[in-house]
mmCIF file of all heavy atoms in Angstrom:
data_model
loop_
_atom_site.group_PDB
_atom_site.id
_atom_site.type_symbol
_atom_site.label_atom_id
_atom_site.label_comp_id
_atom_site.label_asym_id
_atom_site.label_seq_id
_atom_site.Cartn_x
_atom_site.Cartn_y
_atom_site.Cartn_z
ATOM 1 N N ALA A 50 117.234 138.030 215.836
ATOM 2 C CA ALA A 50 117.674 136.714 216.330
ATOM 3 C C ALA A 50 117.658 135.681 215.216
ATOM 4 O O ALA A 50 118.580 134.862 215.091
ATOM 5 C CB ALA A 50 116.783 136.271 217.477
ATOM 6 N N ALA A 51 116.644 135.730 214.361
ATOM 7 C CA ALA A 51 116.513 134.743 213.293
ATOM 8 C C ALA A 51 117.509 134.969 212.160
ATOM 9 O O ALA A 51 117.970 134.005 211.539
ATOM 10 C CB ALA A 51 115.094 134.771 212.727
ATOM 11 N N ASN A 52 117.860 136.231 211.908
ATOM 12 C CA ASN A 52 118.710 136.554 210.755
ATOM 13 C C ASN A 52 120.161 136.847 211.114
ATOM 14 O O ASN A 52 121.014 136.871 210.229
ATOM 15 C CB ASN A 52 118.129 137.740 209.991
ATOM 16 C CG ASN A 52 116.862 137.375 209.285
ATOM 17 O OD1 ASN A 52 116.900 136.804 208.216
ATOM 18 N ND2 ASN A 52 115.721 137.676 209.902
ATOM 19 N N GLY A 53 120.453 137.078 212.360
ATOM 20 C CA GLY A 53 121.823 137.324 212.791
ATOM 21 C C GLY A 53 122.377 138.674 212.402
ATOM 22 O O GLY A 53 123.568 138.915 212.539
ATOM 23 N N SER A 54 121.501 139.551 211.937
ATOM 24 C CA SER A 54 121.950 140.902 211.598
ATOM 25 C C SER A 54 120.756 141.844 211.529
ATOM 26 O O SER A 54 119.611 141.395 211.320
ATOM 27 C CB SER A 54 122.687 140.923 210.261
ATOM 28 O OG SER A 54 121.790 140.727 209.176
ATOM 29 N N ILE A 55 121.030 143.114 211.700
ATOM 30 C CA ILE A 55 119.987 144.108 211.592
ATOM 31 C C ILE A 55 119.564 144.264 210.146
ATOM 32 O O ILE A 55 118.372 144.371 209.840
ATOM 33 C CB ILE A 55 120.434 145.451 212.201
ATOM 34 C CG1 ILE A 55 120.725 145.278 213.694
ATOM 35 C CG2 ILE A 55 119.393 146.536 211.974
ATOM 36 C CD1 ILE A 55 121.400 146.461 214.360
ATOM 37 N N SER A 56 120.519 144.232 209.226
ATOM 38 C CA SER A 56 120.165 144.362 207.813
ATOM 39 C C SER A 56 119.324 143.176 207.346
ATOM 40 O O SER A 56 118.346 143.350 206.621
ATOM 41 C CB SER A 56 121.401 144.554 206.938
ATOM 42 O OG SER A 56 122.270 143.443 207.052
ATOM 43 N N GLY A 57 119.673 141.978 207.771
ATOM 44 C CA GLY A 57 118.875 140.795 207.421
ATOM 45 C C GLY A 57 117.484 140.879 208.016
ATOM 46 O O GLY A 57 116.491 140.522 207.373
ATOM 47 N N ALA A 58 117.391 141.358 209.240
ATOM 48 C CA ALA A 58 116.087 141.507 209.893
ATOM 49 C C ALA A 58 115.248 142.552 209.153
ATOM 50 O O ALA A 58 114.057 142.336 208.919
ATOM 51 C CB ALA A 58 116.274 141.922 211.348
ATOM 52 N N SER A 59 115.868 143.656 208.764
ATOM 53 C CA SER A 59 115.109 144.708 208.077
ATOM 54 C C SER A 59 114.589 144.197 206.731
ATOM 55 O O SER A 59 113.444 144.461 206.365
ATOM 56 C CB SER A 59 115.941 145.972 207.915
ATOM 57 O OG SER A 59 117.031 145.779 207.049
ATOM 58 N N ARG A 60 115.405 143.437 206.013
ATOM 59 C CA ARG A 60 114.964 142.872 204.745
ATOM 60 C C ARG A 60 113.797 141.901 204.956
ATOM 61 O O ARG A 60 112.807 141.932 204.242
ATOM 62 C CB ARG A 60 116.100 142.157 204.025
ATOM 63 C CG ARG A 60 117.050 143.085 203.303
ATOM 64 C CD ARG A 60 118.013 142.329 202.392
ATOM 65 N NE ARG A 60 118.843 141.363 203.098
ATOM 66 C CZ ARG A 60 119.979 141.644 203.725
ATOM 67 N NH1 ARG A 60 120.429 142.876 203.727
ATOM 68 N NH2 ARG A 60 120.665 140.711 204.332
ATOM 69 N N ALA A 61 113.917 141.059 205.976
ATOM 70 C CA ALA A 61 112.874 140.065 206.248
ATOM 71 C C ALA A 61 111.553 140.735 206.632
ATOM 72 O O ALA A 61 110.485 140.200 206.341
ATOM 73 C CB ALA A 61 113.322 139.137 207.380
#
Side-chain angles (χ1 to χ4, degrees):
N52 290 279
S54 71
I55 297 170
S56 60
S59 66
R60 281 191 301 276

